[in-house]
Amino acid sequence: MAAPFPASFLNSLEKALAHRRAQGQLLHLNPPASELRLIDFGSNDSLNLRSSKFLHNAYVAQFSRLSNEDAFIGAGGSRIVDGSHRPVTELEADLARYHGAESALLFNSGYEANVAIYGTIPQKGDVIVTDEMIHASIRDGIKSGRAKRVLAFKHNNPTSLRAVLEDLIAESENIRTGRQMVFIALESAYSMEGDVSPLGAIITVAKQALPEKNVVVIIDEAHSTGLLGPGGCGYTSELGLQGEAVIQMHSYAKAPGAMGAVVLGPSIMKDFLSNYARSLMYSTGPTLPTVAAIRASMNVLRSAERDLRRTTLRSNMRFFHSTLATHAKWKQVQKRDILKIPTSTDPYHDHIPVVPIFTAEGRSFELKEYLAQKGFRTHAFTSPVVPVSEERIRLMMHVERTADEISALVDALMEWGAQKV
């Protein structure tokens, strides 16, 4: 049966898809590696909690308890209508204590949370200063907000940040005198780079450069939740900086293996977001399964099981890098300049399970397909997700990867790199 849509409408969609196809950037809705019978080096499930018996059993227990007390599945409405059920508000109070914050506001996803923060909190005349590598959800939030002055500093570079702030106060009396705010946007761990932000140095620079202290740091902790901090409560807590003017966003859908996200900050900010954040006001509230999943994840993360898994994950990261560095073909591949895999002396280098593998321009999707043929699931990223000159494969290390699997992956990378011209 022919589709009852105008040909001009369908043609316009096909034209846009053809353009992306011609650029080698056509995306697809993909099943997990397990359904494709591939070894997973792609998903964010680095602690392998998502399908573990530990999280499953904890979830069943939490859902059973909560559903006996509050017999609902769906939320019934947005948070400002009737979706703020007791299990949701109690979870928010526990999350605030868990992360060391004054208050917590639960969202369905990290994307919704970031759009709420940046689309609502910065006001007209305020300035947002971002790390140049911030996530797309932050950029989308900024675009929807009232603060139209957006500046960027070099990635993870406090000196660059200082220069940006000094130029800003030199030209803006409102910023210099503290009448308007500066919001600094960054991530704890960057999903494309695998490195962590120098949060302490950034806070110090901001305080020194802005004499009126009219600055708030907003940090996306999506890739550090579950991996850093006591009981997996994040990078801000790892550094003991909960008492600073820092708004945190944590996602529970990556290493924690659950779903949902939370925004942490002063209580008045929670009230403000509840009144002005459209992604909260016009979205159905969190469901009971979401609450149960987050509670289950928190319980596992605060147990010895999480400590064991994190130790294994770090060991796997170190094994990957040592296997690569000692591979017989690695020096040959390096000289050919077709693959670059950065190494680092950063103390958190093996804490974050992201390994960027830079390829020559136009080769990342080719490498992804080659690795899939060898049995490995990875993901390729090109512009606009990453700079044009820095396209890459992103590997995500996992707890359940064996030494043989990691060694086989390194062999496949070296084989591809050695045979390409």
Side-chain angles (χ1 to χ4, degrees):
M1 181 177 178
F5 293 100
S8 58
F9 165 69
L10 298 177
N11 289 339
S12 70
L13 300 185
E14 175 53 36
K15 183 179 179 180
L17 290 172
H19 176 70
R20 179 154 283 186
R21 191 180 295 112
Q23 292 181 315
Q25 297 177 353
L26 187 66
L27 304 178
H28 303 280
L29 301 177
N30 282 309
S34 58
E35 293 185 15
L36 299 174
R37 297 187 177 182
L38 297 175
I39 300 169
D40 186 9
F41 281 98
S43 79
N44 290 317
D45 187 25
S46 55
L47 292 177
N48 288 121
L49 287 177
R50 181 179 57 170
S51 58
S52 72
K53 64 181 178 64
F54 299 95
L55 187 57
H56 179 268
N57 292 341
Y59 171 77
V60 170
Q62 286 292 330
F63 185 78
S64 177
R65 179 183 68 82
L66 291 170
S67 59
N68 285 335
E69 297 173 1
D70 297 270
F72 72 93
I73 299 296
S78 76
R79 295 296 303 276
I80 61 169
V81 177
D82 54 8
S84 289
H85 296 272
R86 182 172 58 84
V88 174
T89 57
E90 289 181 348
L91 174 60
E92 287 176 331
D94 287 344
L95 287 173
R97 287 190 289 270
Y98 174 55
H99 292 291
E102 185 178 322
S103 73
L105 183 60
L106 195 62
F107 287 80
N108 289 313
S109 71
Y111 185 93
E112 281 189 13
N114 273 338
V115 169
I117 293 170
Y118 292 95
T120 307
I121 293 175
Q123 299 300 298
K124 186 177 181 180
D126 292 340
V127 178
I128 302 174
V129 180
T130 78
D131 185 291
E132 63 184 354
M133 294 299 294
I134 55 168
H135 192 266
S137 60
I138 298 174
R139 298 183 189 277
D140 287 355
I142 291 172
K143 289 177 183 177
S144 69
R146 302 184 69 193
K148 301 307 178 185
R149 186 82 188 275
V150 183
L151 306 172
F153 63 96
K154 294 179 182 178
H155 177 56
N156 278 352
N157 191 323
T159 301
S160 174
L161 172 63
R162 184 185 296 276
V164 170
L165 294 178
E166 288 175 349
D167 287 346
L168 180 60
I169 63 173
E171 67 183 59
S172 172
E173 182 180 355
N174 285 336
I175 296 297
R176 184 169 60 253
T177 58
R179 288 197 294 269
Q180 289 174 322
M181 291 293 302
V182 175
F183 293 92
I184 298 177
L186 57 136
E187 300 178 44
S188 55
Y190 287 85
S191 61
M192 289 294 118
E193 304 295 318
D195 52 6
V196 299
S197 65
L199 179 58
I202 284 173
I203 292 173
T204 298
V205 165
K207 287 180 175 180
Q208 291 172 347
L210 297 166
E212 297 301 320
K213 307 297 187 288
N214 51 324
V215 60
V216 170
V217 173
I218 307 173
I219 185 165
D220 180 331
E221 295 245 23
H223 283 273
S224 60
T225 311
L227 296 174
L228 299 179
C233 61
Y235 185 51
T236 304
S237 295
E238 172 97 3
L239 300 180
L241 296 173
Q242 306 96 309
E244 299 289 342
V246 176
I247 296 170
Q248 302 173 53
M249 192 289 290
H250 289 266
S251 168
Y252 304 104
K254 294 180 171 62
M259 61 191 79
V262 71
V263 176
L264 303 161
S267 295
I268 193 171
M269 186 186 76
K270 180 175 181 176
D271 293 337
F272 182 84
L273 289 172
S274 299
N275 278 272
Y276 290 99
R278 296 171 70 86
S279 63
L280 178 90
M281 297 165 65
Y282 300 111
S283 291
T284 300
T287 65
L288 196 66
T290 296
V291 174
I294 294 174
R295 284 201 172 278
S297 178
M298 289 170 63
N299 287 346
V300 175
L301 290 175
R302 288 182 288 194
S303 72
E305 179 62 28
R306 177 260 183 179
D307 294 336
L308 177 62
R309 286 173 180 255
R310 189 175 70 156
T311 298
T312 302
L313 183 62
R314 293 182 64 190
S315 176
N316 282 352
M317 283 288 287
R318 290 192 292 268
F319 182 75
F320 171 84
H321 285 290
S322 65
T323 302
L324 176 72
T326 57
H327 196 281
K329 294 182 179 179
W330 177 224
K331 290 184 179 180
Q332 173 192 352
V333 170
Q334 283 180 301
K335 289 179 181 178
R336 305 187 74 178
D337 204 32
I338 195 168
L339 279 182
K340 293 181 181 178
I341 304 175
T343 58
S344 173
T345 57
D346 187 291
Y348 289 99
H349 182 59
D350 61 355
H351 287 66
I352 305 301
V354 177
V355 182
I357 300 178
F358 299 93
T359 69
E361 191 170 340
R363 311 301 285 269
S364 59
F365 279 90
E366 179 186 336
L367 175 55
K368 172 193 169 184
E369 292 304 317
Y370 180 86
L371 293 175
Q373 293 171 12
K374 295 291 185 177
F376 304 106
R377 158 60 71 85
T378 60
H379 297 294
F381 294 93
T382 58
S383 175
V385 178
V386 296
V388 174
S389 61
E390 297 182 8
E391 68 175 85
R392 70 197 67 182
I393 293 290
R394 185 187 71 175
L395 298 183
M396 293 293 294
M397 188 58 67
H398 297 90
V399 166
E400 293 180 355
R401 297 287 68 85
T402 66
D404 286 345
E405 290 170 340
I406 296 170
S407 295
L409 173 68
V410 172
D411 284 341
L413 287 169
M414 294 302 97
E415 288 168 7
W416 184 85
Q419 71 188 18
K420 291 299 169 182
V421 293

PDB file of all heavy atoms in Angstrom, residues 69 130 171 301 305 308 325:
ATOM      1  N   GLU A  69       4.101  -0.968  48.449  1.00  0.00           N
ATOM      2  CA  GLU A  69       3.762   0.250  49.181  1.00  0.00           C
ATOM      3  C   GLU A  69       2.990   1.237  48.319  1.00  0.00           C
ATOM      4  O   GLU A  69       2.086   1.930  48.801  1.00  0.00           O
ATOM      5  CB  GLU A  69       5.050   0.911  49.685  1.00  0.00           C
ATOM      6  CG  GLU A  69       5.825   0.067  50.679  1.00  0.00           C
ATOM      7  CD  GLU A  69       7.174   0.684  51.027  1.00  0.00           C
ATOM      8  OE1 GLU A  69       7.477   1.779  50.501  1.00  0.00           O
ATOM      9  OE2 GLU A  69       7.916   0.071  51.818  1.00  0.00           O
ATOM     10  N   THR A 130      32.271  27.622  28.147  1.00  0.00           N
ATOM     11  CA  THR A 130      32.272  26.162  28.049  1.00  0.00           C
ATOM     12  C   THR A 130      33.645  25.609  27.691  1.00  0.00           C
ATOM     13  O   THR A 130      34.426  26.255  26.990  1.00  0.00           O
ATOM     14  CB  THR A 130      31.282  25.676  26.962  1.00  0.00           C
ATOM     15  OG1 THR A 130      31.874  25.845  25.664  1.00  0.00           O
ATOM     16  CG2 THR A 130      29.976  26.437  27.015  1.00  0.00           C
ATOM     17  N   GLU A 171      35.924  43.695  29.348  1.00  0.00           N
ATOM     18  CA  GLU A 171      34.979  44.314  28.420  1.00  0.00           C
ATOM     19  C   GLU A 171      33.562  44.429  28.968  1.00  0.00           C
ATOM     20  O   GLU A 171      32.740  45.137  28.392  1.00  0.00           O
ATOM     21  CB  GLU A 171      34.939  43.519  27.111  1.00  0.00           C
ATOM     22  CG  GLU A 171      34.358  42.123  27.262  1.00  0.00           C
ATOM     23  CD  GLU A 171      34.389  41.314  25.971  1.00  0.00           C
ATOM     24  OE1 GLU A 171      35.492  41.100  25.433  1.00  0.00           O
ATOM     25  OE2 GLU A 171      33.306  40.926  25.513  1.00  0.00           O
ATOM     26  N   LEU A 301      26.268  -0.218  43.882  1.00  0.00           N
ATOM     27  CA  LEU A 301      27.444   0.651  43.814  1.00  0.00           C
ATOM     28  C   LEU A 301      28.085   0.867  45.180  1.00  0.00           C
ATOM     29  O   LEU A 301      29.287   1.100  45.282  1.00  0.00           O
ATOM     30  CB  LEU A 301      27.067   1.999  43.203  1.00  0.00           C
ATOM     31  CG  LEU A 301      26.724   1.983  41.707  1.00  0.00           C
ATOM     32  CD1 LEU A 301      26.240   3.357  41.261  1.00  0.00           C
ATOM     33  CD2 LEU A 301      27.918   1.551  40.871  1.00  0.00           C
ATOM     34  N   GLU A 305      30.802  -5.491  45.692  1.00  0.00           N
ATOM     35  CA  GLU A 305      30.745  -5.922  44.296  1.00  0.00           C
ATOM     36  C   GLU A 305      31.214  -4.816  43.358  1.00  0.00           C
ATOM     37  O   GLU A 305      31.952  -5.058  42.408  1.00  0.00           O
ATOM     38  CB  GLU A 305      29.318  -6.354  43.943  1.00  0.00           C
ATOM     39  CG  GLU A 305      29.122  -6.812  42.504  1.00  0.00           C
ATOM     40  CD  GLU A 305      29.954  -8.033  42.153  1.00  0.00           C
ATOM     41  OE1 GLU A 305      30.263  -8.838  43.064  1.00  0.00           O
ATOM     42  OE2 GLU A 305      30.294  -8.196  40.961  1.00  0.00           O
ATOM     43  N   LEU A 308      35.021  -4.480  43.511  1.00  0.00           N
ATOM     44  CA  LEU A 308      35.658  -5.552  42.760  1.00  0.00           C
ATOM     45  C   LEU A 308      35.595  -5.280  41.265  1.00  0.00           C
ATOM     46  O   LEU A 308      36.592  -5.444  40.537  1.00  0.00           O
ATOM     47  CB  LEU A 308      34.986  -6.886  43.085  1.00  0.00           C
ATOM     48  CG  LEU A 308      35.494  -8.116  42.335  1.00  0.00           C
ATOM     49  CD1 LEU A 308      36.962  -8.366  42.662  1.00  0.00           C
ATOM     50  CD2 LEU A 308      34.654  -9.347  42.690  1.00  0.00           C
ATOM     51  N   ALA A 325      51.225  -1.265  23.668  1.00  0.00           N
ATOM     52  CA  ALA A 325      52.580  -0.698  23.671  1.00  0.00           C
ATOM     53  C   ALA A 325      53.652  -1.729  23.342  1.00  0.00           C
ATOM     54  O   ALA A 325      54.710  -1.385  22.800  1.00  0.00           O
ATOM     55  CB  ALA A 325      52.865  -0.067  25.031  1.00  0.00           C
TER      56      ALA A 325
END
